[in-house]
Amino acid sequence: MEKEKKRKFAHAISIRIALPALFTILLFVTATFVIILPSFKENLLEKKREMLREMAEIVYDVIAAYEKMERNGEMSREAAQKQVLQIIADLRYGPANKDYFWINDMNALIVVHPYRPDLRGEAVPDFRYPTGKNLLEEFVRVVKAQGAGYVEYLFQWQDDPNRIVPKLSYVKGFAPWGWVIGTGLYIDDVNVEIGLIAKQLNAIATVILLLNAFLAFYIIRHTVLADRVRRIIWEERERLLTALEESNERFRSLVETTSDWIWEIDPAGAYTYSSPKVRDLLGFAAEEIIGKQLEDLVAVQELDRTSRIFKKLIASRKPFNGFETVCQTRDGRVVVIEKNGVPVFGDDGELLGYRGIARDISERKNAIEALKKSRDELHTSLEETVKSLALAAEKRDPYTAGHQMRVDTLACAIARELGLPEKQIEGLHFAALLHDIGKISLPSEYLAKPARLSAQERAIIKCHTEVGYEILKNIPFPWPVADIVYQHHEHLDGSGYPRGLTDKEILLEAKILTVADVVEAMSSHRPYRPSLGLETAVEEIRSGRGVLYHAESVDACLRLIADKRVDLTAAAW
């Protein structure tokens, strides 16, 4: 009867301990998959929609610039439309550089489609809106009703006409020419991103679930044991010894069945104990490990490095964590093992060896490498997109072809000479490539005029910094690219433009860019004058040092030129 009461008491304690843990797990899973993940998906989709709108607005501005040249009599409508269509047909963006823009007219006929040039002057065949309406007619309806808007439909996957998938597009009307500008994204792309995040959340939730379950089990177990010990104090020695033996057996079972490989080594590094988990990790029985050393399990190419580091760790007589070793299993596979260990000392302070745990982290390492690869691919996509935008600006001013690239080279060299971190230099790099993007809106005859510009024309030219800022300000760069472009014609004494900023109001990157821009511009040819020469450019920044131009940037530039560590004769890309 007493034994049954004790069992019920222990069961009640277990429930009281387990319920909060289970409730915590339930709350976490509910919050993650019912609130956080759907909210994140909605936010991500909203950001994608906003990106589509911004990209369409950029193309709209390009078309508007050419339409303005038509209205000003600078070119015929046919010529203006031909140039615009050529630009749009070649314009790409997105992670695979395959996302594109298209144009149809208000009669629901294709004007240009990069991946379906055969559809020019035709309606899109086969693909129809789920309600039965032709999707081009739907684009026209949205434009007529709202001027611009979003449309969901089915269309081919990028350049694969045999794959039809859901797509979300943003369309905007260009009334002067009766055009509808459109670009879109594939819903599957968003779902893939959400899927990756959900997978990561699943992994985190699983780990937290296991940890909570383990902690709950641990607390329950030790609470029951503590209660049992208090009662055993008044019981005979035989029952105490029996209980201790049972406790040891349970602990041994826990060690033998844990998911981690538990090990012990002597001061020389030879294994004195190994849990059976080693068979799952390396394919060896626990008995085969006894007497071996770590060097016997390591892959040949990693032997020297691993042996040197491990001996140093043991000699330190300190705990270690996260020690990674590349081991070879019995069947020849290569796995990455992470070891954590603590030293074991005798009563006299003598080192008896180490004990610790090890686990296979091969999948985690592969996941990290995949993340790095994804990050590098995104960076490459950003680099190509920025270069495409910069190239679009230079196409408007062929006399300065290569200017932005040479300014980028010199500006980044100055920044490195000043010791700026690479992350900051990367932002300067993109700003340098785009610093004249605003010229895309300027009349071409001003850019190519073989004589000095009038005061009015110079005033218009100066607007390119503000236009560049407006183009770039809503692009979510991780650096202040738009502000750098906005400030690259400002001077320390407030005599620059467009806002007349002074020293402390100007970003360091903009100060560097100003010096690089002046040197490159003066040493290059222009429509209205031949090159003034590098010596004249050097004299200009030297005379303006500390007044117009950032002193440290000027000094760094002069050193680079004197040591011939930069080449300002590089051709355009």
Side-chain angles (χ1 to χ4, degrees), residues 261-275 289-297 306-307 309-320 323 325 339-345 350-358:
W261 171 29
I262 300 175
W263 51 267
E264 291 183 353
I265 58 172
D266 60 22
Y271 288 101
T272 57
Y273 171 77
S274 172
S275 68
I289 296 296
I290 306 302
K292 290 182 179 293
Q293 295 195 338
L294 179 61
E295 289 87 341
D296 299 325
L297 307 175
T306 302
S307 177
I309 297 175
F310 193 57
K311 287 178 180 178
K312 187 176 180 180
L313 289 174
I314 295 177
S316 72
R317 299 162 64 94
K318 296 179 180 178
F320 60 86
F323 173 53
T325 60
K339 284 195 169 188
N340 302 322
V342 293
V344 180
F345 298 98
E350 179 184 4
L351 180 66
L352 301 179
Y354 272 75
R355 69 166 58 101
I357 62 173

Side-chain angles (χ1 to χ4, degrees), residues 480-505:
V481 173
D483 288 317
I484 298 171
V485 170
Y486 203 12
Q487 299 175 7
H488 80 275
H489 278 297
E490 301 285 1
H491 292 155
L492 302 185
D493 62 358
S495 62
Y497 65 87
R499 293 181 290 173
L501 302 180
T502 56
D503 185 4
K504 294 183 179 180
E505 298 172 310

Side-chain angles (χ1 to χ4, degrees), residues 186-436:
Y186 297 98
I187 303 300
D188 287 350
D189 286 347
V190 179
N191 292 335
V192 167
E193 291 187 43
I194 295 299
L196 292 174
I197 295 170
K199 186 176 181 181
Q200 294 174 349
L201 288 176
N202 280 330
I204 294 172
T206 301
V207 171
I208 293 176
L209 176 65
L210 292 175
L211 286 174
N212 273 280
F214 177 80
L215 289 173
F217 169 76
Y218 184 88
I219 293 171
I220 293 169
R221 177 176 173 276
H222 282 271
T223 301
V224 173
L225 287 177
D227 183 72
R228 182 179 298 170
V229 168
R230 285 193 296 270
R231 287 167 172 75
I232 290 177
I233 291 176
W234 292 278
E235 295 178 358
E236 66 273 10
R237 182 175 177 273
E238 185 66 27
R239 288 189 60 188
L240 175 61
L241 293 175
T242 302
L244 289 173
E245 182 62 27
E246 291 176 356
S247 176
N248 289 336
E249 185 61 31
R250 285 193 294 273
F251 182 77
R252 186 180 300 109
S253 298
L254 179 64
V255 169
E256 301 292 333
T257 58
T258 183
S259 60
D260 292 327
W261 171 29
I262 300 175
W263 51 267
E264 291 183 353
I265 58 172
D266 60 22
Y271 288 101
T272 57
Y273 171 77
S274 172
S275 68
K277 183 64 178 179
V278 70
R279 182 183 292 277
D280 296 334
L281 264 66
L282 300 175
F284 298 99
E287 306 80 54
E288 294 178 278
I289 296 296
I290 306 302
K292 290 182 179 293
Q293 295 195 338
L294 179 61
E295 289 87 341
D296 299 325
L297 307 175
V298 173
V300 176
Q301 63 271 22
E302 289 288 318
L303 183 58
D304 291 340
R305 183 191 70 85
T306 302
S307 177
R308 182 176 65 256
I309 297 175
F310 193 57
K311 287 178 180 178
K312 187 176 180 180
L313 289 174
I314 295 177
S316 72
R317 299 162 64 94
K318 296 179 180 178
F320 60 86
N321 293 293
F323 173 53
E324 296 181 8
T325 60
V326 180
C327 295
Q328 189 164 346
T329 64
R330 177 188 284 277
D331 60 4
R333 293 183 299 106
V334 173
V335 295
V336 182
I337 302 297
E338 180 185 73
K339 284 195 169 188
N340 302 322
V342 293
V344 180
F345 298 98
D347 294 337
D348 57 356
E350 179 184 4
L351 180 66
L352 301 179
Y354 272 75
R355 69 166 58 101
I357 62 173
R359 58 176 62 94
D360 184 354
I361 62 169
S362 300
E363 290 186 4
R364 187 175 77 192
K365 298 288 286 185
N366 292 336
I368 291 173
E369 289 300 319
L371 286 174
K372 288 181 179 178
K373 182 179 179 182
S374 176
R375 180 198 62 193
D376 292 340
E377 289 175 351
L378 286 173
H379 184 276
T380 300
S381 176
L382 176 60
E383 181 85 24
E384 293 301 321
T385 301
V386 168
K387 285 185 177 180
S388 296
L389 288 172
L391 184 59
E394 285 199 348
K395 291 295 184 183
R396 301 272 294 128
D397 188 8
Y399 290 95
T400 60
H403 166 70
Q404 294 179 113
M405 185 178 69
R406 291 190 292 270
V407 169
D408 168 44
T409 300
L410 180 55
C412 291
I414 293 173
R416 289 191 178 90
E417 186 73 8
L418 293 177
L420 269 64
E422 282 301 318
K423 185 175 182 180
Q424 192 173 2
I425 294 173
E426 190 173 24
L428 174 59
H429 160 65
F430 287 115
L433 288 177
L434 294 170
H435 76 276
D436 278 341

